[in-house]
Structures are given as structure tokens and as C-alpha cells.
Amino acid sequence: MSTPNLLVELFVEELPPKALKKLGQAFAGQLFEQLKAQGLTAADSAVTPYATPRRLAAHITQVAAKAADKSMQVKLMPVSVALDAAGQPTPALLKKLQAVGADPSVVPQLKRQPDGKAEALFLDTLVTGATLDSGLQKALHEAIARLPIPKVMTYQLESGCRLPGWDSVQFVRPAHGLVVLHGSAVVPVTALGLTAGRLTHGHRFEAAIDPISIEDADRYADTLRTRGAVIASFEERRAAIAAQLATAAAQAGAGLHAVDDDALLDEVTALVERPKVLVCQFEQAFLDVPQECLILTMKANQKYFPLLDAAGRLTNRFLVVSNIDPQDASAVIEGNERVVRPRLQDAKFFFDQDRKKTLESRVPQLAKVVYHNKLGTQGERVERVRAIARAIVGLLEQSGQQFGGAVLAEQTDQAALLAKTDLLTDMVGEFPELQGIMGGYYARHDGLSEDIAFAIEDHYKPRFAGDELPRGPVGTVVALADKLETLVGMFGIGNLPTGDKDPFALRRHALGVIRMLVEKDLPLDMPAVVDQAAQAFGALLPDAARSNEQLLQFFYERVNGYLREHGASAQEADAVIAARPMWGEFPKALDAVRAFATLPEAPALAAANKRIGNILKKAGDAEAVVDAHVSELLLQEPAEKDLYAAMQRIVPRADAQFEAGDYTASLQTLAALRAPVDAFFDGVMVNAEQMELRLNRQGLLKTLHQAMNRVADLSRLAA
């Protein structure tokens, strides 16, 4: 005879839509785990979560009416305490037996077993398995208590309690029904002042009958669908909405598609029980407003899906996910079109009003906006960003590469000056998500160049993992300056991220800096950049040297993670980072290290490099710092002469390849040193008694160490 399946449903008032998916998964998952812990499920039992705006439910297969009894061995106490000199039970043992539900007659059956350095008495007992009634009551209580409820509501019970209208419970929303079925039988449990039954409710308006009786646990979803007009499964409902969106978009016009937004799709799924997608439209005149504004107001305020054409441009059509499916949907369509019009009119009004003032005219107002009580106003912040941007341009020019010179310096300064002014506009005040984007539009309206408009728009990028980087050098410099100002400032005043708390998004800012340096191959030395950025703060940072070092360590940890996400092993990432090259060179250095690691000479050279590092470290502790200088006259042993000669032939060629940027070839050239290096360690005593010989050999090794570690610290590759 097969084991029946279990259904548990809590019927509640409308749940918070943004939390529904997580609540549904947590409720089902906790219920299953609690039953499993009590032995009430089978090895192949499975759980199916259900979540709609008005219910949380779980269907669990193969749930036993009673868990199997278990044999257990209970440790009582040490023999020396349990028995007296005559071997009779002590009062302490008798009291312990009473506590575990046994009587003195079991004393002869107690087992003596080693327990550490002493012996202890153990009781073999049979623990009765939990019944479904008691086990499910406990599981339901725990599942409700552990729900990730964003905000708890307290409400009064109207019945089923000692003081109706006075007794209260706490839950995410008031609960009005509890269905618990084991097969076709109701399990008599309670929760939130409710007693389990088999009655639930379907769709508010379209259910065929109300209430609905669930006859069997396995017929729950089908019964709700056919009699209640409800798709109980969150994932099934989500898939149905996605399919309807695609179909409606195709019917609305060739090449049209709905905005792709998983978060919006999840939220809409949590708002409807029987989805029906309808096509609506608005007046063409509103398309004069930037599409980002219209898309955001439709998504954020109305939960609509705007329709885009094949080129990604907004059209005057949008999709509505309705919770009803009337035969004539014209009234629903007209109602949604009427509701969206004031939203779009607001956006148009903000856009028109904002363009009456130039961005430059708003700059003085930034001095009245507080950025941070320890770091001053937004106006002061803008001046720091400008100073950091000028420093970055200077460092780029010092690299010898062409980045734009005076033109780049002028454009970055103007972009940095205006980048934060859109924070003072009505549009960004209403929709903070549009900061930067609106600044770009207003800059073009003011007649500024595309480079500056792009820089203002892009200086927040990358906003999230996988986001695109700023376009062009102007935007890149301003974005770097903006993020570095935030990082240096926050580290300087002690606002460091801790655990999962990062209110100023410093991890995201650091990763953004890393991505720009690496992916745009910028020849910037991070310690120098951070030092220049700290100078822009003047006396605001109490201990800039210490906080800068903390920030650099923070960067190196993020760089390590970045390289490993892009396929580097832990050893390869450490080797590249330890050499501290320009961060833009990381990809080339990593490729070179990977190619080197495949060579047969690699393990021996990596081990030798590690040995050389240890020798030099000890030498530096014992004597003066080792000088990378070799006197050919002091070379005595054949092996050290051979190594020196090999270095004279090979190192200049490897250095030339390094300077040309061919890191792979440089390391492969150095691989030819394996044989003379091995011979050196086999035949030469580095720490000779004569100081001049010792220092000369250490100098030879120091020269070799420097040559081998220009691309990466090869010792990090040693096993």
C-alpha cells in the first residue's frame, strides 16, 4: 500500500508581492525539512511549493502516518558516579534514570563502555517515532516561525480563541483558512488560531464555487484551477505570463517585444492568480520624453510591460497583466490607458521644467546638498572628483600613451563639474534611478558635446555585475574619479563594509574600478592613484596612510576574486597579483603564466624561485639588504659561472620581450635557465664563509629573482 501525500495550505489576505516568491519557497522548504528531521518522509519524498497572492501551500509526497521507532543509546554518567563501592546504583543514577523515563529495574541491563579516559554507563532504549499529528503540528509551527517575513502584522482573532476580538497573533498578513490533508483525510492541527479543514477559496471574482472543498491532497492544484480559476504554482503562473507577453507582443506588431525585466515579471506573478495579458496604448506625443522616463514610470508605478521595437526603441504600446479574463476586455483596457496618462503627463512636465535651467546654472546649488556629515556637501565632493580626474589624466599622460592630452583634461573637468547636477532636477527627484541618464539628455539640450554627455550619463557605470563600462576616455576617467572619491573617502572615515553589510556599495565600486582598469587596459599604478585621490581630501581624512593601505588590500582581495571568476586558479591569481603589475596588464600576465605553467621546466623553476626568495629573505634579515650586483671576478665555481653566462645571454632577450609587452614569450625564454639554475643549487654553497663571495652569490640570485618575477611571482606556482 502506497504512502499518502500531504498538502498544507495557509489561506491569507493579499501577501506582499515582492516577498511572495521567497515566502512560498521558504514555507514549503521549512515544512519539508522539519518533517524529514522527524523521520516522517521517505528517502525519495519531494516537495512542491505553491504561492499565490492569497495562499502559501506545500505538497509533499510519501509522508508517513507515523515515523519508525528508533533504537538509541543514551549516555547516563561515569561509572564512578553511577555505582557505589558495592556496585549498587547511587541516588544520582536513580535520579538520572527517572529523568530519561526508565525505572531502577533496568540497572542490570546498563552497558559499561569507554568514554574518554574513564568508563560510563549507557542505556539502550527504543524511541517511539512521532505521529503525523504531533510531528506536523511541530513542523507547521517551526515553518511559520522561520518565514522571512519583511514586516510582521499583528491582528485580533475573531473566533477559536479564549477572548475573541482581544486575543492577537502575528503574521505577515491575517490568515483566514488552514487546509491540511494526508491523502483524503484531514490532519487535526492548528496554526495562527485556525483549525485545519479541507475548505479553501478560489479567485475573488471568477471562482466557479465558493468555498472550494479539496477532496484529496493530490487534487489540490487541479481543483483550484478548474473550480477556483487559480493557478496555484508560482513558477507555472510565471511561465504562463511570459508566454502570453510574447504572444501579445507579436500580435501587437511585427518585431515588437516586451521589456525584459525578471524582477517585474516576478512581482506581477505575485499580484495575479489568473493572468490575462492585454495590449494597451498611449498618445504618440509622449514619445518626445526620453524613453527611460516613460519605461520607468510604467514599470515602477503601474507594473506594465512597455513594448519596444526591433531596434530597442519605445513604442506607444504597452502590455497589462490583468487578474481577470472578461469576455469583453475593452473596459479593462480603457481603464489602464486612462490610469497611465497622468503618469506620463507628470514625466513630460518634469522633463519640460528641467530643461528651462542649464546644468551649469545648477552647480552652485550643490553646495547646499549634504553628501556626508564628515565629508561635506555635494559641491565639495564635485571639487574632489574634479581633482582626482585631473590626477588620473596626468598619470595617463605620464605613461607615454596617447589619451587626448589637454582636450581630455578639459572635457573630463567639465564633465566632472556637471556630473552630479541632475540630482537637483525634478525628474531625478521623482525617479532617482535615472541619475546620470537624465544628465546626459540635459547636457545635449544645453549644447554640450557627445563626449561630455556620454561621460555624465556613464559615470555611474558599471552599476551592477555584468553592466557595460563607460563609453570613451572622458566617461572612463570621470567614472574612475567618482568611484575612487567614494572609496577613499569612506575608507578614510572608517565606513568599511562588514560581512553582508555594505550600505555605500563599496564592493561594487571597487569591482567597477578593477573592471575599467583591466578591461580597458589602462596604464595606471593603483597605489599612486589612491595616493593622489587621498590628497584631494586635504585634512578631512584623519589617517590617510593607514586607510589607503586598507583600501589597497581591499582592492587586491577583489582583484583576486575577479581573476578567479575569469578562470584563473588560486595559484595563478596570486602569482599575477603578487608581482603588482599595472592592473590593465593582468590578462596578458595571466595568459603568460598559464602558458608557462604548461612547460616541463615550470615546476622546477617555480620551486627554485621560491627557494631563492627564502634565501634572500634570510639574507636580508641577517645582513644588509642584498644588492642585485654581480662581480664576475668573484665567480669561482663552474656552476655559478655557467649560470651567470646563461643569464647574460637569456635575461636581456627576456627583458626586451617584456618591454615589448610579449609576456608569454618573456617567460618562455626564461624557461631555458632551468638547467643552469638546477646545477647552481647542486654545486654551489650560497652562504659561503667569505662575506664577499656570499654577497656576490646572493647578488647573482637577486638579479635572477628580479628577472624571473617581472611578469608574475613564479614562486606562487610552486606546489
Side-chain angles (χ1 to χ4, degrees), residues 213-240:
S213 177
I214 308 297
E215 300 303 324
D216 189 274
D218 293 342
R219 293 165 58 186
Y220 173 71
D222 287 341
T223 302
L224 276 180
R225 185 191 302 273
T226 55
R227 297 184 180 180
V230 170
I231 300 175
S233 167
F234 186 95
E235 294 303 327
E236 185 181 345
R237 205 163 61 253
R238 189 182 192 274

Side-chain angles (χ1 to χ4, degrees), residues 26-365:
F27 179 71
Q30 282 292 335
L31 203 58
F32 179 75
E33 291 300 323
Q34 292 294 325
L35 292 174
K36 181 180 178 181
Q38 297 177 73
L40 288 165
T41 60
D44 55 348
S45 292
V47 59
T48 302
Y50 295 103
T52 79
R54 298 202 296 159
R55 76 200 73 235
L56 297 174
H59 179 271
I60 303 173
T61 61
Q62 300 189 62
V63 177
K66 180 181 178 297
D69 296 342
K70 281 185 181 180
S71 296
M72 284 186 63
Q73 192 174 67
V74 180
K75 177 185 172 183
L76 298 175
M77 60 182 61
V79 173
S80 59
V81 178
L83 303 176
D84 60 19
Q88 297 301 308
T90 63
L93 176 60
L94 296 176
K95 187 174 182 181
K96 180 67 174 180
L97 289 173
Q98 184 181 8
V100 299
D103 58 59
S105 64
V106 303
V107 172
Q109 285 81 45
L110 297 180
K111 293 183 178 179
R112 300 171 69 145
Q113 293 180 5
D115 182 46
K117 294 182 179 180
E119 271 192 321
L121 288 183
F122 290 83
L123 170 67
D124 288 333
T125 183
L126 187 67
V127 178
T128 304
T131 63
L132 180 59
D133 292 6
S134 62
L136 181 56
Q137 183 66 67
K138 178 182 176 183
L140 188 57
H141 175 77
E142 288 295 320
I144 291 173
R146 297 185 183 187
L147 282 178
I149 298 174
K151 194 171 185 180
V152 173
M153 176 181 288
T154 301
Y155 60 96
Q156 283 68 46
L157 298 175
E158 297 177 358
S159 61
C161 59
R162 191 171 60 86
L163 294 173
W166 291 92
D167 286 352
S168 62
V169 294
Q170 290 187 327
F171 195 53
V172 59
R173 291 291 185 271
H176 296 291
L178 175 63
V179 176
V180 182
L181 297 176
H182 187 224
S184 59
V186 174
V187 183
V189 295
T190 61
L192 303 174
L194 302 168
T195 301
R198 65 174 70 249
L199 296 181
T200 187
H201 303 273
H203 196 285
R204 277 192 186 276
F205 310 110
E206 301 196 348
I209 58 173
D210 188 70
I212 299 170
S213 177
I214 308 297
E215 300 303 324
D216 189 274
D218 293 342
R219 293 165 58 186
Y220 173 71
D222 287 341
T223 302
L224 276 180
R225 185 191 302 273
T226 55
R227 297 184 180 180
V230 170
I231 300 175
S233 167
F234 186 95
E235 294 303 327
E236 185 181 345
R237 205 163 61 253
R238 189 182 192 274
I241 294 173
Q244 289 188 44
L245 288 171
T247 301
Q251 293 173 349
L256 297 186
H257 63 278
V259 165
D260 185 13
D261 190 323
D262 286 341
L264 178 61
L265 183 56
D266 283 343
E267 188 173 358
V268 170
T269 303
L271 287 168
V272 298
E273 291 191 313
R274 187 186 186 184
K276 175 64 176 178
V277 174
L278 304 171
V279 181
C280 305
Q281 62 183 359
F282 57 83
E283 290 82 353
Q284 286 271 2
F286 287 121
L287 293 178
D288 293 336
V289 179
Q291 71 176 41
E292 292 89 348
C293 308
L294 304 181
I295 290 172
L296 185 58
T297 191
M298 284 191 281
K299 285 168 47 178
N301 294 322
Q302 302 303 131
K303 315 306 175 189
Y304 296 159
F305 288 84
L307 284 176
L308 309 179
D309 63 19
R313 294 186 298 267
L314 179 66
T315 68
N316 69 322
R317 296 191 170 198
F318 60 95
L319 302 179
V320 175
V321 182
S322 172
N323 194 32
I324 57 175
D325 185 12
Q327 290 184 347
D328 181 8
S330 59
V332 178
I333 292 172
E334 290 172 6
N336 281 282
E337 291 177 347
R338 184 172 63 253
V339 167
V340 79
R341 195 171 294 114
R343 297 289 188 183
L344 303 183
Q345 286 172 339
D346 286 346
K348 186 176 187 305
F349 174 77
F350 293 147
F351 185 55
D352 291 339
Q353 289 297 111
D354 288 342
R355 288 183 297 171
K356 292 179 180 179
K357 294 178 67 176
T358 65
L359 292 179
E360 191 169 0
S361 69
R362 298 179 187 272
V363 172
Q365 294 174 259

